[in-house]
Amino acid sequence: MTKADSLQKLPKHIAVVMDGNGRWAKKRHLPRSMGHKAGTKAVRKLIENVVALQIPVLTLFAFGTENWQRPTDEVEDLMDLFFTHLEKEVALFQEHNIQVRIIGDLTLFSETLRDCILRTQSLTATHTGLVLVIAASYSGRWDITQAAQQLAQDVQEGLLTTKQIDAAKFSTKLCLPDLPDADLFIRTSGERRISNFMLWQLAYTELYFTDILWPDFDKKELDAALEFFNSRQRRFGKV
Ligand code: IPE
Ligand code: MG
């Protein structure tokens, strides 16, 4: 029995900002691309550990809206990795019954990558195990803005009155309306920021920060985050 197995409560939805690939590489005098490559190994391990713990939802912040502003080489490199891994890991998704969902502004991706995303989503759509959400070309403000646009459209078409817009209605237009909000947020590499990740969905989330760089995030680190979560008492604004 591992440490995590003995915990009383496990999160239902973990959201992770995987940060520190560049610094991991720099420490080893390697190019940043090697850090991203090492980061994908940590992703695979995390997925397997989360599946083993039967945690229902895992959301990974793979690429933010602002990341498009990185040097072209690095963006291309990240896109390449994303594409290769989505294709390569289909076997893993089948084996573990994982449903994959990609959230973000898909219009900014190349057609090849967009096709690959849609293919992976439809191939795994009926899977009933872990829901693996990959946030790519995503930002919390983008999500809230696109929801507002949809609501405005509905009002314009007379399907809805402004008065009918409340938090519950708003949520239905955001990404992941059918999933529980994240209850545990993890960010690696010592940064203590949300950095425009799931702004709406993190309203009551327990925030866990660790100095570990993403490629070094292993089972021991996951256990530490779960232990932190287990020690928190969540009151949702009540006493
Ligand atoms: C996270 O690592 C990976 C992505 C944002 C895609 P970074 O590339 O941000 O690594 P640091 O922050 O430079 O160390
Ligand atoms: Mg970073």
PDB file of all heavy atoms in Angstrom, residues 183-214:
ATOM      1  N   ASP A 183     -10.556  20.474  -7.517  1.00  0.00           N
ATOM      2  CA  ASP A 183     -10.472  20.657  -6.058  1.00  0.00           C
ATOM      3  C   ASP A 183      -9.023  20.714  -5.580  1.00  0.00           C
ATOM      4  O   ASP A 183      -8.760  21.146  -4.468  1.00  0.00           O
ATOM      5  CB  ASP A 183     -11.306  19.639  -5.266  1.00  0.00           C
ATOM      6  CG  ASP A 183     -11.289  18.254  -5.856  1.00  0.00           C
ATOM      7  OD1 ASP A 183     -10.465  18.006  -6.755  1.00  0.00           O
ATOM      8  OD2 ASP A 183     -12.078  17.409  -5.409  1.00  0.00           O
ATOM      9  N   LEU A 184      -8.080  20.298  -6.439  1.00  0.00           N
ATOM     10  CA  LEU A 184      -6.656  20.447  -6.093  1.00  0.00           C
ATOM     11  C   LEU A 184      -5.907  21.012  -7.299  1.00  0.00           C
ATOM     12  O   LEU A 184      -5.986  20.475  -8.405  1.00  0.00           O
ATOM     13  CB  LEU A 184      -6.057  19.100  -5.686  1.00  0.00           C
ATOM     14  CG  LEU A 184      -4.533  19.076  -5.452  1.00  0.00           C
ATOM     15  CD1 LEU A 184      -4.125  19.994  -4.300  1.00  0.00           C
ATOM     16  CD2 LEU A 184      -4.041  17.651  -5.184  1.00  0.00           C
ATOM     17  N   PHE A 185      -5.209  22.114  -7.063  1.00  0.00           N
ATOM     18  CA  PHE A 185      -4.381  22.759  -8.092  1.00  0.00           C
ATOM     19  C   PHE A 185      -2.926  22.540  -7.701  1.00  0.00           C
ATOM     20  O   PHE A 185      -2.564  22.714  -6.542  1.00  0.00           O
ATOM     21  CB  PHE A 185      -4.719  24.251  -8.121  1.00  0.00           C
ATOM     22  CG  PHE A 185      -3.746  25.133  -8.872  1.00  0.00           C
ATOM     23  CD1 PHE A 185      -3.987  25.503 -10.187  1.00  0.00           C
ATOM     24  CD2 PHE A 185      -2.602  25.642  -8.250  1.00  0.00           C
ATOM     25  CE1 PHE A 185      -3.108  26.353 -10.870  1.00  0.00           C
ATOM     26  CE2 PHE A 185      -1.722  26.481  -8.927  1.00  0.00           C
ATOM     27  CZ  PHE A 185      -1.981  26.836 -10.243  1.00  0.00           C
ATOM     28  N   ILE A 186      -2.115  22.123  -8.644  1.00  0.00           N
ATOM     29  CA  ILE A 186      -0.685  21.920  -8.368  1.00  0.00           C
ATOM     30  C   ILE A 186       0.116  22.777  -9.346  1.00  0.00           C
ATOM     31  O   ILE A 186      -0.155  22.758 -10.552  1.00  0.00           O
ATOM     32  CB  ILE A 186      -0.281  20.436  -8.566  1.00  0.00           C
ATOM     33  CG1 ILE A 186      -1.058  19.520  -7.615  1.00  0.00           C
ATOM     34  CG2 ILE A 186       1.233  20.251  -8.377  1.00  0.00           C
ATOM     35  CD1 ILE A 186      -0.820  18.028  -7.847  1.00  0.00           C
ATOM     36  N   ARG A 187       1.089  23.529  -8.822  1.00  0.00           N
ATOM     37  CA  ARG A 187       2.031  24.213  -9.725  1.00  0.00           C
ATOM     38  C   ARG A 187       3.448  23.927  -9.271  1.00  0.00           C
ATOM     39  O   ARG A 187       3.770  24.070  -8.087  1.00  0.00           O
ATOM     40  CB  ARG A 187       1.804  25.717  -9.757  1.00  0.00           C
ATOM     41  CG  ARG A 187       2.761  26.379 -10.752  1.00  0.00           C
ATOM     42  CD  ARG A 187       2.493  27.836 -10.975  1.00  0.00           C
ATOM     43  NE  ARG A 187       3.319  28.318 -12.094  1.00  0.00           N
ATOM     44  CZ  ARG A 187       3.036  29.352 -12.833  1.00  0.00           C
ATOM     45  NH1 ARG A 187       1.953  30.036 -12.602  1.00  0.00           N
ATOM     46  NH2 ARG A 187       3.843  29.716 -13.811  1.00  0.00           N
ATOM     47  N   THR A 188       4.274  23.534 -10.207  1.00  0.00           N
ATOM     48  CA  THR A 188       5.663  23.205  -9.884  1.00  0.00           C
ATOM     49  C   THR A 188       6.574  24.405 -10.154  1.00  0.00           C
ATOM     50  O   THR A 188       6.130  25.429 -10.658  1.00  0.00           O
ATOM     51  CB  THR A 188       6.134  22.011 -10.743  1.00  0.00           C
ATOM     52  OG1 THR A 188       5.952  22.342 -12.118  1.00  0.00           O
ATOM     53  CG2 THR A 188       5.371  20.746 -10.405  1.00  0.00           C
ATOM     54  N   SER A 189       7.820  24.267  -9.794  1.00  0.00           N
ATOM     55  CA  SER A 189       8.926  25.182 -10.106  1.00  0.00           C
ATOM     56  C   SER A 189       9.014  26.430  -9.238  1.00  0.00           C
ATOM     57  O   SER A 189       9.751  27.349  -9.563  1.00  0.00           O
ATOM     58  CB  SER A 189       8.936  25.587 -11.594  1.00  0.00           C
ATOM     59  OG  SER A 189       8.138  26.723 -11.833  1.00  0.00           O
ATOM     60  N   GLY A 190       8.247  26.452  -8.147  1.00  0.00           N
ATOM     61  CA  GLY A 190       8.399  27.550  -7.197  1.00  0.00           C
ATOM     62  C   GLY A 190       7.605  28.800  -7.499  1.00  0.00           C
ATOM     63  O   GLY A 190       7.563  29.716  -6.689  1.00  0.00           O
ATOM     64  N   GLU A 191       6.963  28.875  -8.678  1.00  0.00           N
ATOM     65  CA  GLU A 191       6.131  30.049  -8.972  1.00  0.00           C
ATOM     66  C   GLU A 191       4.830  29.911  -8.203  1.00  0.00           C
ATOM     67  O   GLU A 191       4.268  28.824  -8.132  1.00  0.00           O
ATOM     68  CB  GLU A 191       5.824  30.143 -10.477  1.00  0.00           C
ATOM     69  CG  GLU A 191       7.009  30.028 -11.404  1.00  0.00           C
ATOM     70  CD  GLU A 191       8.014  31.162 -11.262  1.00  0.00           C
ATOM     71  OE1 GLU A 191       7.730  32.137 -10.536  1.00  0.00           O
ATOM     72  OE2 GLU A 191       9.102  31.048 -11.856  1.00  0.00           O
ATOM     73  N   ARG A 192       4.350  31.032  -7.679  1.00  0.00           N
ATOM     74  CA  ARG A 192       3.100  30.973  -6.918  1.00  0.00           C
ATOM     75  C   ARG A 192       2.049  31.852  -7.585  1.00  0.00           C
ATOM     76  O   ARG A 192       1.673  32.885  -7.066  1.00  0.00           O
ATOM     77  CB  ARG A 192       3.346  31.401  -5.470  1.00  0.00           C
ATOM     78  CG  ARG A 192       4.168  30.366  -4.740  1.00  0.00           C
ATOM     79  CD  ARG A 192       4.739  30.860  -3.459  1.00  0.00           C
ATOM     80  NE  ARG A 192       5.424  29.747  -2.826  1.00  0.00           N
ATOM     81  CZ  ARG A 192       4.928  29.028  -1.843  1.00  0.00           C
ATOM     82  NH1 ARG A 192       3.742  29.303  -1.364  1.00  0.00           N
ATOM     83  NH2 ARG A 192       5.615  28.030  -1.344  1.00  0.00           N
ATOM     84  N   ARG A 193       1.697  31.436  -8.767  1.00  0.00           N
ATOM     85  CA  ARG A 193       0.711  32.193  -9.538  1.00  0.00           C
ATOM     86  C   ARG A 193      -0.249  31.224 -10.218  1.00  0.00           C
ATOM     87  O   ARG A 193       0.077  30.077 -10.449  1.00  0.00           O
ATOM     88  CB  ARG A 193       1.408  32.980 -10.664  1.00  0.00           C
ATOM     89  CG  ARG A 193       2.300  34.096 -10.244  1.00  0.00           C
ATOM     90  CD  ARG A 193       2.768  34.866 -11.485  1.00  0.00           C
ATOM     91  NE  ARG A 193       3.733  34.112 -12.275  1.00  0.00           N
ATOM     92  CZ  ARG A 193       5.049  34.092 -12.051  1.00  0.00           C
ATOM     93  NH1 ARG A 193       5.556  34.770 -11.041  1.00  0.00           N
ATOM     94  NH2 ARG A 193       5.849  33.398 -12.816  1.00  0.00           N
ATOM     95  N   ILE A 194      -1.415  31.768 -10.584  1.00  0.00           N
ATOM     96  CA  ILE A 194      -2.387  30.976 -11.354  1.00  0.00           C
ATOM     97  C   ILE A 194      -2.079  31.131 -12.842  1.00  0.00           C
ATOM     98  O   ILE A 194      -2.390  30.246 -13.641  1.00  0.00           O
ATOM     99  CB  ILE A 194      -3.838  31.472 -11.089  1.00  0.00           C
ATOM    100  CG1 ILE A 194      -4.148  31.525  -9.585  1.00  0.00           C
ATOM    101  CG2 ILE A 194      -4.865  30.657 -11.843  1.00  0.00           C
ATOM    102  CD1 ILE A 194      -4.417  30.232  -8.906  1.00  0.00           C
ATOM    103  N   SER A 195      -1.482  32.281 -13.224  1.00  0.00           N
ATOM    104  CA  SER A 195      -1.095  32.546 -14.612  1.00  0.00           C
ATOM    105  C   SER A 195      -2.200  32.265 -15.628  1.00  0.00           C
ATOM    106  O   SER A 195      -1.986  31.560 -16.616  1.00  0.00           O
ATOM    107  CB  SER A 195       0.155  31.741 -14.976  1.00  0.00           C
ATOM    108  OG  SER A 195       1.252  32.220 -14.242  1.00  0.00           O
ATOM    109  N   ASN A 196      -3.366  32.848 -15.372  1.00  0.00           N
ATOM    110  CA  ASN A 196      -4.439  32.773 -16.364  1.00  0.00           C
ATOM    111  C   ASN A 196      -4.860  31.334 -16.700  1.00  0.00           C
ATOM    112  O   ASN A 196      -5.256  31.041 -17.824  1.00  0.00           O
ATOM    113  CB  ASN A 196      -4.007  33.518 -17.642  1.00  0.00           C
ATOM    114  CG  ASN A 196      -5.172  34.120 -18.397  1.00  0.00           C
ATOM    115  OD1 ASN A 196      -6.325  33.890 -18.044  1.00  0.00           O
ATOM    116  ND2 ASN A 196      -4.883  34.864 -19.442  1.00  0.00           N
ATOM    117  N   PHE A 197      -4.746  30.447 -15.737  1.00  0.00           N
ATOM    118  CA  PHE A 197      -5.262  29.075 -15.939  1.00  0.00           C
ATOM    119  C   PHE A 197      -6.769  29.118 -15.678  1.00  0.00           C
ATOM    120  O   PHE A 197      -7.386  30.153 -15.919  1.00  0.00           O
ATOM    121  CB  PHE A 197      -4.500  28.114 -15.009  1.00  0.00           C
ATOM    122  CG  PHE A 197      -4.672  26.648 -15.336  1.00  0.00           C
ATOM    123  CD1 PHE A 197      -4.946  26.217 -16.622  1.00  0.00           C
ATOM    124  CD2 PHE A 197      -4.549  25.692 -14.345  1.00  0.00           C
ATOM    125  CE1 PHE A 197      -5.100  24.870 -16.915  1.00  0.00           C
ATOM    126  CE2 PHE A 197      -4.698  24.334 -14.631  1.00  0.00           C
ATOM    127  CZ  PHE A 197      -4.983  23.930 -15.905  1.00  0.00           C
ATOM    128  N   MET A 198      -7.367  28.089 -15.152  1.00  0.00           N
ATOM    129  CA  MET A 198      -8.830  28.027 -15.066  1.00  0.00           C
ATOM    130  C   MET A 198      -9.344  29.007 -13.999  1.00  0.00           C
ATOM    131  O   MET A 198      -9.515  28.643 -12.860  1.00  0.00           O
ATOM    132  CB  MET A 198      -9.230  26.613 -14.688  1.00  0.00           C
ATOM    133  CG  MET A 198      -8.501  25.565 -15.503  1.00  0.00           C
ATOM    134  SD  MET A 198      -8.728  23.935 -14.834  1.00  0.00           S
ATOM    135  CE  MET A 198     -10.213  23.469 -15.662  1.00  0.00           C
ATOM    136  N   LEU A 199      -9.591  30.247 -14.375  1.00  0.00           N
ATOM    137  CA  LEU A 199      -9.919  31.269 -13.382  1.00  0.00           C
ATOM    138  C   LEU A 199     -11.263  30.992 -12.706  1.00  0.00           C
ATOM    139  O   LEU A 199     -11.379  31.055 -11.487  1.00  0.00           O
ATOM    140  CB  LEU A 199      -9.921  32.646 -14.035  1.00  0.00           C
ATOM    141  CG  LEU A 199      -8.569  33.061 -14.627  1.00  0.00           C
ATOM    142  CD1 LEU A 199      -8.688  34.410 -15.313  1.00  0.00           C
ATOM    143  CD2 LEU A 199      -7.497  33.109 -13.543  1.00  0.00           C
ATOM    144  N   TRP A 200     -12.242  30.672 -13.473  1.00  0.00           N
ATOM    145  CA  TRP A 200     -13.585  30.434 -12.940  1.00  0.00           C
ATOM    146  C   TRP A 200     -13.600  29.138 -12.124  1.00  0.00           C
ATOM    147  O   TRP A 200     -14.116  29.084 -11.009  1.00  0.00           O
ATOM    148  CB  TRP A 200     -14.574  30.347 -14.108  1.00  0.00           C
ATOM    149  CG  TRP A 200     -15.997  30.090 -13.724  1.00  0.00           C
ATOM    150  CD1 TRP A 200     -16.534  28.913 -13.283  1.00  0.00           C
ATOM    151  CD2 TRP A 200     -17.060  31.045 -13.736  1.00  0.00           C
ATOM    152  NE1 TRP A 200     -17.862  29.066 -13.031  1.00  0.00           N
ATOM    153  CE2 TRP A 200     -18.216  30.360 -13.306  1.00  0.00           C
ATOM    154  CE3 TRP A 200     -17.165  32.400 -14.089  1.00  0.00           C
ATOM    155  CZ2 TRP A 200     -19.457  30.984 -13.207  1.00  0.00           C
ATOM    156  CZ3 TRP A 200     -18.401  33.005 -13.999  1.00  0.00           C
ATOM    157  CH2 TRP A 200     -19.534  32.307 -13.558  1.00  0.00           C
ATOM    158  N   GLN A 201     -13.001  28.106 -12.702  1.00  0.00           N
ATOM    159  CA  GLN A 201     -13.081  26.760 -12.103  1.00  0.00           C
ATOM    160  C   GLN A 201     -12.185  26.590 -10.877  1.00  0.00           C
ATOM    161  O   GLN A 201     -12.242  25.556 -10.225  1.00  0.00           O
ATOM    162  CB  GLN A 201     -12.715  25.700 -13.143  1.00  0.00           C
ATOM    163  CG  GLN A 201     -13.643  25.620 -14.345  1.00  0.00           C
ATOM    164  CD  GLN A 201     -13.220  26.531 -15.491  1.00  0.00           C
ATOM    165  OE1 GLN A 201     -12.476  27.485 -15.300  1.00  0.00           O
ATOM    166  NE2 GLN A 201     -13.706  26.232 -16.686  1.00  0.00           N
ATOM    167  N   LEU A 202     -11.356  27.591 -10.566  1.00  0.00           N
ATOM    168  CA  LEU A 202     -10.464  27.466  -9.404  1.00  0.00           C
ATOM    169  C   LEU A 202     -10.990  28.228  -8.186  1.00  0.00           C
ATOM    170  O   LEU A 202     -10.274  28.388  -7.188  1.00  0.00           O
ATOM    171  CB  LEU A 202      -9.048  27.971  -9.740  1.00  0.00           C
ATOM    172  CG  LEU A 202      -8.243  27.154 -10.757  1.00  0.00           C
ATOM    173  CD1 LEU A 202      -6.894  27.818 -11.026  1.00  0.00           C
ATOM    174  CD2 LEU A 202      -8.013  25.721 -10.272  1.00  0.00           C
ATOM    175  N   ALA A 203     -12.254  28.672  -8.265  1.00  0.00           N
ATOM    176  CA  ALA A 203     -12.803  29.535  -7.200  1.00  0.00           C
ATOM    177  C   ALA A 203     -12.590  28.973  -5.791  1.00  0.00           C
ATOM    178  O   ALA A 203     -12.245  29.714  -4.873  1.00  0.00           O
ATOM    179  CB  ALA A 203     -14.279  29.808  -7.463  1.00  0.00           C
ATOM    180  N   TYR A 204     -12.801  27.679  -5.598  1.00  0.00           N
ATOM    181  CA  TYR A 204     -12.681  27.092  -4.255  1.00  0.00           C
ATOM    182  C   TYR A 204     -11.603  26.011  -4.171  1.00  0.00           C
ATOM    183  O   TYR A 204     -11.606  25.188  -3.268  1.00  0.00           O
ATOM    184  CB  TYR A 204     -14.033  26.520  -3.811  1.00  0.00           C
ATOM    185  CG  TYR A 204     -14.982  27.615  -3.403  1.00  0.00           C
ATOM    186  CD1 TYR A 204     -15.980  28.048  -4.276  1.00  0.00           C
ATOM    187  CD2 TYR A 204     -14.848  28.249  -2.174  1.00  0.00           C
ATOM    188  CE1 TYR A 204     -16.822  29.080  -3.935  1.00  0.00           C
ATOM    189  CE2 TYR A 204     -15.695  29.285  -1.820  1.00  0.00           C
ATOM    190  CZ  TYR A 204     -16.676  29.696  -2.698  1.00  0.00           C
ATOM    191  OH  TYR A 204     -17.502  30.721  -2.346  1.00  0.00           O
ATOM    192  N   THR A 205     -10.699  26.048  -5.110  1.00  0.00           N
ATOM    193  CA  THR A 205      -9.676  25.000  -5.207  1.00  0.00           C
ATOM    194  C   THR A 205      -8.575  25.172  -4.175  1.00  0.00           C
ATOM    195  O   THR A 205      -8.163  26.293  -3.894  1.00  0.00           O
ATOM    196  CB  THR A 205      -9.083  25.058  -6.636  1.00  0.00           C
ATOM    197  OG1 THR A 205     -10.161  25.012  -7.563  1.00  0.00           O
ATOM    198  CG2 THR A 205      -8.129  23.927  -6.892  1.00  0.00           C
ATOM    199  N   GLU A 206      -8.101  24.067  -3.630  1.00  0.00           N
ATOM    200  CA  GLU A 206      -6.930  24.112  -2.744  1.00  0.00           C
ATOM    201  C   GLU A 206      -5.694  24.281  -3.629  1.00  0.00           C
ATOM    202  O   GLU A 206      -5.526  23.563  -4.617  1.00  0.00           O
ATOM    203  CB  GLU A 206      -6.811  22.802  -1.949  1.00  0.00           C
ATOM    204  CG  GLU A 206      -7.977  22.525  -1.021  1.00  0.00           C
ATOM    205  CD  GLU A 206      -8.102  23.536   0.105  1.00  0.00           C
ATOM    206  OE1 GLU A 206      -7.110  24.217   0.454  1.00  0.00           O
ATOM    207  OE2 GLU A 206      -9.220  23.654   0.645  1.00  0.00           O
ATOM    208  N   LEU A 207      -4.848  25.248  -3.268  1.00  0.00           N
ATOM    209  CA  LEU A 207      -3.686  25.564  -4.117  1.00  0.00           C
ATOM    210  C   LEU A 207      -2.413  24.985  -3.512  1.00  0.00           C
ATOM    211  O   LEU A 207      -2.083  25.264  -2.362  1.00  0.00           O
ATOM    212  CB  LEU A 207      -3.548  27.086  -4.263  1.00  0.00           C
ATOM    213  CG  LEU A 207      -4.796  27.829  -4.763  1.00  0.00           C
ATOM    214  CD1 LEU A 207      -4.554  29.338  -4.767  1.00  0.00           C
ATOM    215  CD2 LEU A 207      -5.193  27.367  -6.165  1.00  0.00           C
ATOM    216  N   TYR A 208      -1.724  24.190  -4.291  1.00  0.00           N
ATOM    217  CA  TYR A 208      -0.489  23.541  -3.806  1.00  0.00           C
ATOM    218  C   TYR A 208       0.682  23.939  -4.706  1.00  0.00           C
ATOM    219  O   TYR A 208       0.635  23.764  -5.925  1.00  0.00           O
ATOM    220  CB  TYR A 208      -0.664  22.018  -3.832  1.00  0.00           C
ATOM    221  CG  TYR A 208       0.560  21.268  -3.374  1.00  0.00           C
ATOM    222  CD1 TYR A 208       0.858  21.128  -2.025  1.00  0.00           C
ATOM    223  CD2 TYR A 208       1.435  20.699  -4.303  1.00  0.00           C
ATOM    224  CE1 TYR A 208       1.994  20.440  -1.599  1.00  0.00           C
ATOM    225  CE2 TYR A 208       2.570  20.003  -3.891  1.00  0.00           C
ATOM    226  CZ  TYR A 208       2.835  19.887  -2.540  1.00  0.00           C
ATOM    227  OH  TYR A 208       3.950  19.206  -2.121  1.00  0.00           O
ATOM    228  N   PHE A 209       1.720  24.480  -4.079  1.00  0.00           N
ATOM    229  CA  PHE A 209       2.904  24.905  -4.830  1.00  0.00           C
ATOM    230  C   PHE A 209       4.123  24.130  -4.353  1.00  0.00           C
ATOM    231  O   PHE A 209       4.291  23.924  -3.157  1.00  0.00           O
ATOM    232  CB  PHE A 209       3.146  26.407  -4.637  1.00  0.00           C
ATOM    233  CG  PHE A 209       1.992  27.260  -5.104  1.00  0.00           C
ATOM    234  CD1 PHE A 209       1.030  27.720  -4.207  1.00  0.00           C
ATOM    235  CD2 PHE A 209       1.852  27.594  -6.441  1.00  0.00           C
ATOM    236  CE1 PHE A 209      -0.041  28.501  -4.633  1.00  0.00           C
ATOM    237  CE2 PHE A 209       0.786  28.374  -6.888  1.00  0.00           C
ATOM    238  CZ  PHE A 209      -0.161  28.827  -5.975  1.00  0.00           C
ATOM    239  N   THR A 210       4.947  23.702  -5.294  1.00  0.00           N
ATOM    240  CA  THR A 210       6.174  23.006  -4.923  1.00  0.00           C
ATOM    241  C   THR A 210       7.344  23.553  -5.748  1.00  0.00           C
ATOM    242  O   THR A 210       7.157  23.991  -6.889  1.00  0.00           O
ATOM    243  CB  THR A 210       6.056  21.477  -5.130  1.00  0.00           C
ATOM    244  OG1 THR A 210       7.368  20.904  -5.058  1.00  0.00           O
ATOM    245  CG2 THR A 210       5.446  21.110  -6.470  1.00  0.00           C
ATOM    246  N   ASP A 211       8.527  23.526  -5.151  1.00  0.00           N
ATOM    247  CA  ASP A 211       9.722  24.034  -5.847  1.00  0.00           C
ATOM    248  C   ASP A 211      10.263  23.059  -6.891  1.00  0.00           C
ATOM    249  O   ASP A 211      11.097  23.417  -7.718  1.00  0.00           O
ATOM    250  CB  ASP A 211      10.838  24.326  -4.826  1.00  0.00           C
ATOM    251  CG  ASP A 211      10.494  25.531  -3.965  1.00  0.00           C
ATOM    252  OD1 ASP A 211       9.632  26.335  -4.398  1.00  0.00           O
ATOM    253  OD2 ASP A 211      11.055  25.664  -2.865  1.00  0.00           O
ATOM    254  N   ILE A 212       9.823  21.822  -6.835  1.00  0.00           N
ATOM    255  CA  ILE A 212      10.274  20.798  -7.798  1.00  0.00           C
ATOM    256  C   ILE A 212      10.029  21.260  -9.230  1.00  0.00           C
ATOM    257  O   ILE A 212       8.984  21.831  -9.527  1.00  0.00           O
ATOM    258  CB  ILE A 212       9.472  19.481  -7.520  1.00  0.00           C
ATOM    259  CG1 ILE A 212       9.961  18.826  -6.234  1.00  0.00           C
ATOM    260  CG2 ILE A 212       9.473  18.524  -8.679  1.00  0.00           C
ATOM    261  CD1 ILE A 212      11.297  18.155  -6.365  1.00  0.00           C
ATOM    262  N   LEU A 213      10.980  21.039 -10.117  1.00  0.00           N
ATOM    263  CA  LEU A 213      10.789  21.394 -11.527  1.00  0.00           C
ATOM    264  C   LEU A 213       9.981  20.277 -12.201  1.00  0.00           C
ATOM    265  O   LEU A 213      10.116  19.099 -11.823  1.00  0.00           O
ATOM    266  CB  LEU A 213      12.156  21.572 -12.207  1.00  0.00           C
ATOM    267  CG  LEU A 213      13.033  22.656 -11.560  1.00  0.00           C
ATOM    268  CD1 LEU A 213      14.426  22.686 -12.199  1.00  0.00           C
ATOM    269  CD2 LEU A 213      12.383  24.033 -11.632  1.00  0.00           C
ATOM    270  N   TRP A 214       9.139  20.654 -13.165  1.00  0.00           N
ATOM    271  CA  TRP A 214       8.178  19.680 -13.687  1.00  0.00           C
ATOM    272  C   TRP A 214       8.774  18.302 -14.068  1.00  0.00           C
ATOM    273  O   TRP A 214       8.246  17.267 -13.670  1.00  0.00           O
ATOM    274  CB  TRP A 214       7.337  20.259 -14.843  1.00  0.00           C
ATOM    275  CG  TRP A 214       6.451  19.178 -15.371  1.00  0.00           C
ATOM    276  CD1 TRP A 214       6.544  18.541 -16.552  1.00  0.00           C
ATOM    277  CD2 TRP A 214       5.390  18.543 -14.634  1.00  0.00           C
ATOM    278  NE1 TRP A 214       5.599  17.542 -16.624  1.00  0.00           N
ATOM    279  CE2 TRP A 214       4.884  17.521 -15.460  1.00  0.00           C
ATOM    280  CE3 TRP A 214       4.825  18.723 -13.361  1.00  0.00           C
ATOM    281  CZ2 TRP A 214       3.835  16.695 -15.073  1.00  0.00           C
ATOM    282  CZ3 TRP A 214       3.782  17.886 -12.967  1.00  0.00           C
ATOM    283  CH2 TRP A 214       3.306  16.897 -13.817  1.00  0.00           C
TER     284      TRP A 214
END
